Every structure is written in C-alpha cells, then in structure tokens.
Amino acid sequence: MAAAVAAALVVSPASAAPAGRVLGYVANNGGGVSVIDTATNAVSETISDSGGNSPYMAAVAFDGTRGYVTNSVQNTLTVIDTPTNAVDRSVPVGSHPAGVAVAPGGGFVYVTNYGDGTVSVVDTATLTVTATITVGQNPDGVVVTRDGRAVYVTHDVVGPSKVSVIDTTANAVVTTIPVGSTSTAIAASADGTRMYVVNKGSDTVSAIDVASRTVVGTAAVGFTPHGIALSPDGTRAYVTNSEFDSVSVVDLTTMTELRKIVVGDRPIGVALTPDGASAYVTNFGSNTVSVIDTATDAVTGTLAVGQRPVGIAVSFVPPAPSKLAGGHAQLQLRLLGFTVRGLDATLTEKHTGAPVAGQKVIFQTVKGTPLCTATTNSSGTATCDSQVPLLVGLSTLLQGFTASYAGDNEHGGASSHGYITLL
C-alpha cells in the first residue's frame, strides 16, 4: 500500500509566545504513536491504542486539541486528546484506512479507505461516521480545501491517475482531475489556491489550480516520491523520495527542484513546524525521524522512534485544562498570631483526572495575603502550614483560603477556594 501524508491544519494563537507546545505525532506502522517535543527534539512518550496497533497516517485538528490516526489493519481511526495525549476513542471506518484530513474548524474528519474505494466522513462532535462516499480504486492521500467546501483525494493506481473532488455539502464526487502515475500524498497551499500532488510512478509533483481544477504545473523530483509538506509562506515544498533516501526541495513558483537533502532509509512522511523553521521526516526503513533546518536545508538531528514510521503531523498543542481542589485547614490561636495547619489543594487534569505532580501551588487568604507555597506530590496534592500575624484578622482567616496554580506549557492554570476552621 502506498503512503499518503496528510498535512496538519494548524492555526497558532496570536500571542508571540503562547503557552503550549509544538508536538510531532509519528504513526509507527509497527505499533504506537511516538510524540516528539520539538523544543527538545526528543520523544516524550509513546501512545498506544489497544484497538488499533497498526498506525498509518496522522493528522491534528486545527486547534491542536485532537489528533487522528488511521489503523490500516484494524480498520479504525484512533482519536487522541493531544493536550493530555490520552486515547479517547477508536472509531470504526472502512477497509484499510490510509489518509486522514481534518476540515477547517475541526467539525469533520475525512478518511480514505484504501481497501474498499471509499471515504469515511467522521463527525467530530459525535465521533461517528455520518457518510461513506464511493470514490474509486485505492484512495490514498486526502486534503480539505481552505473553505471546507471540497475534499481532494488521490488514487494509488499504476498508470495515469486522478484526483477525485468531493463536494462536502452533497458528500459526492463532482469531478476528477488527471495527474501523474500512482498519485499518493497531497497538500494544500496556505492561501487555498493550489493543491500539490505527489505522483509516485512519475517521479513528479503536480500543481492543481483550485479555482479551475486543472493541473497548471509539474515539477520533477527524486525516485519514488511519497510525502509532501509545504512551507507556511507557500514558496517551498519538501518531498520525500523513498528510493533515493532523500528529500527534494521544490521551488513552487517555478516548479523546479532546488536540491536534495539526504535523510534516513526509505523516507515516507514529512511535516513542518507551524513557523516553517524545521521539517520532520519519517524514515520507514531505519525507524527514525530526520530533523531538517529549513534555513540551511541541512539535517540537524536523527530521532529514534517506533518500528516502520509512516505518517507524521506537527502542531501547536495548547496546555491541558487543569482542576485545583482546595481542602480543609485548621486554625490555632497563638499569643502573637495564628497558625494555619494543613493547607492543602489537589491538582489534576480535567480531561483524564490524572494527578499533576511537581507543580507549585500558592496559598493566600481571600484578601490576597500570602500564606505559604508548596509543591504537588505524586498524588497531585500540595500541603503546607502557615504562621500568620494578628493583623490579618481572625474573621479574614475564617473566610477560608485561595489556592492557585499559574500553569505552564503542559497544564493550564487553575484556582480554588478552601476552608479554615478553628481547632
């Protein structure tokens, strides 16, 4: 089966330095999804789904809060809550699902089913298949237009191939566009005016004008190209050449190859960071991911991942929403003040309920007077005692305390109220 690389649809927050992380999701066909923290270029964890152990392609919703991975043997779509990297659901789709793409706005996910010639339409609100569209033999790559009105699907067919265009209102194929031989991956330009199709059998990339739905240019690349990713400014394409162990850098204005970058064995998927500074390439044969600095077009790192990595998506992922639950402290009178014993609060992830350890919690009176600071333990609980001067006042202390957590790139901030009673 040919591989198709679905470009992640990402909209980054307007803030210059948003809280959150840029993560890469690598679908390892041998099992599991490797999560790469692009700030450290290290695999931070591996996600497993007992209902889908043959990951193939990966996509991430436009706001980074969900990931979708096709499982080619189990005929399922794994749904991941990306802020926590917890598996939420395995959705049954068609036969041998391959490509996956998320609609702008995140309302629908489109999955190409290589084995039965269909596309499954998954409603992300209910996580159910609401339509199955017949498109023809060996559908592989898939992408949604910027306005969400059409879906473009490639067909991994030897000889002159085609791209099927689906009207998303009717959920039916309305036209086909002839391209090169054995078309696999497809990517959309950021401005929505072009689609770029990788033709594995022709060793080319076809440029499709979205308005006219015609091929308006062709670029020659390396031997047996597979995946494609575009720079955010729309000037470059990065195309994996699976039999050349390289990535072609293509000038999209002139549709010419600028250079080849040597990577690992049998490169398949490729994705860029939202800022376009780095490209990540899955090397199916060497079980690695190559990191390319796009300013110099040089490989700056090689990361070990799972077995037979195929698809990859890179996205900004916001912090996981947190919950802080304040506890119950006791107040003891002293000669020159008060002692508040057992101030406590427990920090957990809202989505999973898992405790969040090693985080600082600040305790204050309801009027903002500092009491003490503590770090959450393995159970997510922070606890401390406080010596309080008389001037704070008994009535203020008996109103309880406020616990607050500022948050970081992984977990969002939270606060809560707790109670103080006299011994």
Side-chain angles (χ1 to χ4, degrees):
M1 184 188 296
V5 178
L9 303 176
V10 179
V11 175
S12 295
S15 171
R21 297 167 290 168
V22 175
L23 302 179
Y25 291 83
V26 180
N28 302 301
N29 194 239
V33 176
S34 299
V35 182
I36 297 172
D37 187 332
T38 64
T40 59
N41 276 337
V43 174
S44 58
E45 63 183 298
T46 300
I47 303 170
S48 298
D49 175 13
S50 59
N53 60 10
S54 59
Y56 199 68
M57 296 307 304
V60 180
F62 81 108
D63 58 2
T65 58
R66 269 185 175 170
Y68 301 90
V69 180
T70 57
N71 300 292
S72 59
V73 175
Q74 288 72 32
N75 301 332
T76 59
L77 179 73
T78 295
V79 182
I80 299 168
D81 176 73
T82 52
T84 62
N85 286 327
V87 173
D88 279 350
R89 189 85 61 87
S90 288
V91 181
V93 288
S95 174
H96 296 296
V100 54
V102 185
F108 293 96
V109 172
Y110 297 86
V111 177
T112 57
N113 301 306
Y114 192 96
D116 60 21
T118 65
V119 170
S120 296
V121 182
V122 178
D123 184 323
T124 61
T126 61
L127 292 179
T128 57
V129 174
T130 56
T132 301
I133 307 165
T134 299
V135 292
Q137 186 179 7
N138 301 356
D140 201 348
V142 58
V143 71
V144 188
T145 55
R146 186 180 182 183
D147 60 12
R149 295 181 179 180
V151 174
Y152 283 58
V153 177
T154 66
H155 295 267
D156 179 25
V157 178
V158 177
S161 191
K162 65 180 181 180
V163 172
S164 296
V165 182
I166 297 171
D167 181 307
T168 57
T169 301
N171 277 334
V173 175
V174 291
T175 191
T176 59
I177 305 167
V179 288
S181 173
T182 323
S183 60
T184 55
I186 184 170
S189 63
D191 64 7
T193 63
R194 291 283 189 274
M195 296 289 179
Y196 296 93
V197 179
V198 176
N199 303 304
K200 183 176 64 174
S202 303
D203 301 333
T204 60
V205 172
S206 299
I208 296 174
D209 178 75
V210 172
S212 64
R213 291 177 176 171
T214 59
V215 173
V216 293
T218 303
V221 288
F223 187 44
T224 319
H226 255 267
I228 185 170
L230 310 181
S231 62
D233 63 6
T235 62
R236 299 284 187 271
Y238 293 80
V239 181
T240 59
N241 303 307
S242 62
E243 298 302 326
F244 261 9
D245 296 346
S246 66
V247 172
S248 291
V249 183
V250 178
D251 185 319
L252 295 178
T253 302
T254 61
M255 290 300 288
T256 56
E257 183 187 62
L258 299 175
R259 64 190 63 86
K260 288 184 177 72
I261 306 167
V262 176
V263 288
D265 182 29
R266 198 179 172 192
I268 300 294
V270 56
L272 270 66
T273 51
D275 62 5
S278 300
Y280 290 78
V281 179
T282 60
N283 302 305
F284 186 91
S286 53
N287 301 330
T288 61
V289 167
S290 296
V291 184
I292 297 172
D293 181 336
T294 58
T296 61
D297 285 338
V299 174
T300 57
T302 302
L303 314 177
V305 289
Q307 293 186 337
R308 303 189 298 278
V310 182
I312 182 168
V314 178
S315 174
F316 172 84
V317 175
S322 298
K323 178 182 178 181
L324 191 64
H328 197 136
Q330 292 185 320
L331 180 64
Q332 182 178 7
L333 299 177
R334 294 185 296 111
L335 181 63
L336 298 176
F338 310 94
T339 298
V340 184
R341 301 188 186 280
L343 290 157
D344 73 286
T346 300
L347 183 65
T348 56
E349 293 177 345
K350 275 189 177 181
H351 188 73
T352 65
V356 181
Q359 302 300 311
K360 184 172 72 172
V361 175
I362 297 173
F363 296 90
Q364 299 176 311
T365 68
V366 293
K367 293 184 178 180
T369 302
L371 294 173
C372 58
T373 299
T375 301
T376 56
N377 60 19
S378 59
S379 299
T381 300
T383 184
C384 57
D385 299 336
S386 177
Q387 304 299 322
V388 185
L390 279 173
L391 59 86
V392 171
L394 178 62
S395 61
T396 296
L397 290 172
L398 291 178
Q399 292 179 55
F401 65 88
T402 298
S404 60
Y405 165 60
D408 60 12
N409 284 335
E410 295 187 36
H411 295 96
S415 63
S416 66
H417 179 266
Y419 297 92
I420 299 176
T421 55
L422 280 169
L423 278 173

